[in-house]
Amino acid sequence: MRKIIGTLGSHCSLQVLKGAKDEGFKTLLITEKKRYHVYKRFNFIDHVILVDSFRDVLQSDIQNRLNKLECILIPHGTLISTLSSDEIESINVPFFGNKFILRWEADRNLKQKLMLESKLQVPRAINSKSEIDELCIVKLHGAAGGKGYFLTSDQNGFEEGFHKLLNDNVVTDENELYIQEYVKGVPVFLHFFYSPISGDIEFMGVDRRYESDIDGISRIPSKHQLNVPTEPTYNVIGNIPLVLRESLLEGVYQMGENFVQASERLVPPGIPGPFCLEGVYTKDAKFITFEFSARIVAGTNLYVSGSQYSEFLFQNGMSMGRRIALEIKNAISKRKLDRVLT
Ligand code: AMP
């Protein structure tokens, strides 16, 4: 029986492994050698596999070691930004959750399809630069943490932004960019957990991101802002806690339920475990979803000792990392481990 929980040393690994330890599991970290000096400080990490690059997890000798130790891998954002969907699916070690839905997170077209199937309200997708007729945000494919995004209100602005990315060797073709209506309001990230063992959807917490340099622009007086030459960027530096107006919770749970059901229809076995709906509350308090993450998000790092919402469901400081370990524990005791692994 698998009794070790492992993950890549980045993103939310401390929270995941601390939570696993608190639930009685042994823990394993796969980390790049250059980061080891950080992780060696924490006594809840039992095993360490040192690698030159996270991509080494594709090597069969690493996978054999993980299987010999009977490890369950917890996927997170670093796995998605480091490996392609084909590479992730090729890894021959059990993953917690549905590894096949990670492809739907990484591919913008599949992502849009799942969001629409979930009846989420989404920003208008702009199919061509000539159709840009309002403020738009131009994005790169994949989990780039908001790096390289730019805003534009017309085709010229798009071309200018594209050429800058081209010169910086970030993209090679316009088709690598995705244009979306810029939704005006406040960005909010909703953290959910779905348990196929209990059948419950749990709203575990909410955060907003602290992004550089867009979140610093308001600190520059407007007369100087006009002279700032660079396009604002959305590079995530950290996360800020938030609570919602209680009357918004009804809509939050409805969106979570719709997303779980749509995932089960489109990508069996659906979405066991954590996921995040990412969007903007508009001035009429409507939630427009611009993204989802089909796995644990780093915003949950805020709530290592539980969140305002997890405290209503669990009494013992339930982080998302710990919730994952608890689900594995419950699945093992009910002999339903296959329901939460792929
Ligand atoms: P993402 O990497 O897609 O999560 O987006 C990074 C940041 O860009 C978000 O935190 C938001 O601040 C912003 N953003 C993304 N999409 C939109 C949108 N359609 N409208 C407004 N802001 C957006």
Side-chain angles (χ1 to χ4, degrees):
M1 188 53 76
R2 304 235 163 206
K3 288 269 168 64
I4 293 193
I5 288 182
T7 198
L8 299 185
S10 182
H11 192 265
C12 57
S13 62
L14 291 172
Q15 181 209 151
V16 165
L17 298 189
K18 169 76 167 56
K21 194 73 181 175
D22 289 343
E23 288 298 325
F25 287 92
K26 289 264 183 224
T27 61
L28 179 146
L29 188 80
I30 303 161
T31 186
E32 292 178 343
K33 288 172 188 154
K34 62 180 181 201
R35 300 176 186 229
Y36 180 58
H37 74 101
V38 174
Y39 291 106
K40 69 179 184 193
R41 293 155 212 267
F42 306 110
N43 63 8
F44 51 84
I45 301 174
D46 299 311
H47 298 264
V48 175
I49 296 182
L50 291 177
V51 289
D52 292 317
S53 144
F54 286 130
R55 294 189 57 76
D56 294 352
V57 74
L58 294 172
Q59 292 172 9
S60 55
D61 60 318
I62 303 265
Q63 294 180 25
N64 289 342
R65 274 171 79 184
L66 293 171
N67 281 326
K68 221 178 201 159
L69 287 164
E70 299 197 295
C71 181
I72 294 172
L73 278 179
I74 314 298
H76 57 55
T78 303
L79 187 87
I80 295 183
S81 58
T82 311
L83 303 182
S84 71
S85 302
D86 285 342
E87 287 169 334
I88 293 173
E89 288 173 16
S90 77
I91 294 175
N92 191 20
V93 178
F95 275 89
F96 177 74
N98 180 0
K99 71 176 171 184
F100 303 103
I101 203 171
L102 299 176
R103 179 182 291 277
W104 291 64
E105 172 181 336
D107 179 312
R108 294 244 178 238
N109 299 323
L110 291 176
K111 180 174 254 179
Q112 187 79 356
K113 188 169 169 190
L114 183 49
M115 293 200 294
L116 291 176
E117 178 78 14
S118 307
K119 299 192 209 86
L120 295 168
Q121 277 190 268
V122 297
R124 186 162 75 96
I126 316 284
N127 297 321
S128 135
K129 61 184 178 185
S130 60
E131 286 172 26
I132 301 175
D133 57 358
E134 61 174 335
L135 185 61
C136 291
I137 183 163
V138 183
K139 304 182 170 190
L140 305 170
H141 282 266
K147 270 187 230 157
Y149 291 7
F150 65 91
L151 303 187
T152 181
S153 301
D154 54 33
Q155 181 166 342
N156 286 345
F158 174 88
E159 280 163 4
E160 210 176 289
F162 164 66
H163 281 108
K164 185 161 186 323
L165 292 175
L166 194 66
N167 289 338
D168 293 346
N169 295 321
V170 180
V171 291
T172 52
D173 193 288
E174 275 183 19
N175 292 329
E176 292 169 48
L177 298 176
Y178 184 85
I179 316 168
Q180 210 174 55
E181 164 198 0
Y182 185 88
V183 183
K184 290 168 232 59
V186 289
V188 169
F189 295 73
L190 307 168
H191 316 156
F192 295 89
F193 187 93
Y194 170 60
S195 165
I197 303 299
S198 70
D200 288 333
I201 290 171
E202 296 152 8
F203 178 52
M204 292 288 284
V206 51
D207 77 291
R208 56 168 293 198
R209 289 188 187 160
Y210 201 40
E211 294 163 332
S212 189
D213 52 4
I214 186 75
D215 287 322
I217 283 178
S218 62
R219 296 169 61 88
I220 302 174
S222 59
K223 65 174 180 180
H224 298 296
Q225 277 183 14
L226 293 174
N227 299 325
V228 175
T230 55
E231 189 67 40
T233 50
Y234 297 80
N235 191 9
V236 181
I237 301 299
N239 303 81
I240 302 173
L242 201 69
V243 283
L244 294 178
R245 273 173 70 171
E246 195 159 313
S247 57
L248 294 174
L249 289 182
E250 185 195 345
V252 166
Y253 272 99
Q254 188 62 60
M255 288 189 288
E257 277 164 22
N258 290 351
F259 188 77
V260 167
Q261 287 162 11
S263 308
E264 285 172 354
R265 283 195 298 274
L266 291 189
V267 208
I271 183 99
F275 65 96
C276 179
L277 298 182
E278 314 178 356
V280 168
Y281 274 105
T282 63
K283 61 182 177 188
D284 330 311
K286 263 198 228 139
F287 190 76
I288 312 294
T289 313
F290 56 72
E291 293 273 345
F292 66 80
S293 294
R295 35 80 197 175
I296 184 169
V297 287
T300 61
N301 287 342
L302 285 164
Y303 307 119
V304 169
S305 314
S307 77
Q308 298 86 345
Y309 296 100
S310 70
E311 278 299 293
F312 297 138
L313 300 168
F314 305 91
Q315 276 68 49
N316 49 357
M318 187 61 69
S319 69
M320 192 64 97
R322 186 166 183 178
R323 183 65 190 86
I324 291 170
L326 177 65
E327 187 74 358
I328 295 173
K329 201 159 106 176
N330 290 341
I332 290 172
S333 75
K334 296 199 162 124
R335 298 179 186 280
K336 290 183 176 169
L337 197 53
D338 57 320
R339 299 279 294 276
V340 299
L341 304 183
T342 45

